[in-house]
């Protein structure tokens, strides 16, 4: 092994399908604590990159909606209210914004949210969403 070589392992033990790293391998690595990312800031920057002018207010509303969804909707294994899902919705919103530049920004984001999320939400949660 070369002295300048590094190996990093990212663990998500609570994530579906993931398992803990065995103790004999854990001993070979230094642990590093991570913090939860600021989703509102990430969302705001992504909206700005997609061409939204009201990115700050839209990002706060968007993140609040996803937090409420994660708390209020029934627990389903296929629900994902994290960063991966946020990025996917915002990419869809950017495509919609570029295809309809004269349309108001809030309805564009609402359409992206509806188009992305309603197919995966069961009837019992649809009223809450």
């Amino acid at each position: 092994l070369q002295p300048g070589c590094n190996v990093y392992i990212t663990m998500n033990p609570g994530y579906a399908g993931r398992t803990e790293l065995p103790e004999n391998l854990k001993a070979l690595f230094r642990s590093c604590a991570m913090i939860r990312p600021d989703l509102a800031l990430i969302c705001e920057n992504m909206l700005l990159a997609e061409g939204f002018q009201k990115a700050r207010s839209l990002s706060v509303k968007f993140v609040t909606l996803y937090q409420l969804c994660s708390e209020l909707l029934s627990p389903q294994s296929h629900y994902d209210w994290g960063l991966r899902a946020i990025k996917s919705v915002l990419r869809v919103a950017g495509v919609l914004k570029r295809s309809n530049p004269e349309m108001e920004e809030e309805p564009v984001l609402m359409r992206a949210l509806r188009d992305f999320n309603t197919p995966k939400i069961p009837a019992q949660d649809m009223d809450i969403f």
Side-chain angles (χ1 to χ4, degrees):
L1 212 54
Q2 294 181 2
C5 178
N6 293 306
V7 176
Y8 298 94
I9 297 176
T10 303
M11 297 294 297
N12 293 327
Y15 206 71
R18 305 285 168 83
T19 58
E20 284 282 335
L21 195 63
E23 290 298 323
N24 61 339
L25 288 178
K26 277 187 188 177
L28 299 173
F29 294 94
R30 278 189 234 160
S31 63
C32 175
M34 303 296 283
I35 60 169
R36 186 176 274 298
D38 184 353
L39 295 179
L41 184 61
I42 293 169
C43 186
E44 179 183 350
N45 282 301
M46 286 195 66
L47 285 167
L48 286 169
E50 295 290 352
F52 284 80
Q53 300 298 313
K54 301 176 186 174
R56 178 161 291 162
S57 64
L58 290 175
S59 68
V60 170
K61 291 176 184 179
F62 184 93
V63 170
T64 302
L65 173 69
Y66 263 42
Q67 286 173 340
L68 287 172
C69 285
S70 69
E71 295 167 6
L72 299 176
L73 297 181
S74 64
Q76 302 282 331
S77 61
H78 64 276
Y79 281 168
D80 181 12
W81 307 111
L83 185 57
R84 183 177 293 127
I86 288 172
K87 289 180 69 173
S88 298
V89 172
L90 295 179
R91 273 191 239 108
V92 169
V95 170
L96 291 173
K97 171 98 172 117
R98 286 187 293 279
S99 65
N100 300 309
E102 70 286 340
M103 193 172 173
E104 288 289 320
E105 292 180 346
E106 281 192 25
V108 168
L109 186 56
M110 290 298 293
R111 184 174 164 200
L113 281 162
R114 184 198 65 207
D115 292 351
F116 189 82
N117 290 305
T118 52
K120 66 181 178 184
I121 297 179
Q124 73 221 32
D125 286 341
M126 193 53 76
D127 291 338
I128 299 170
F129 182 74

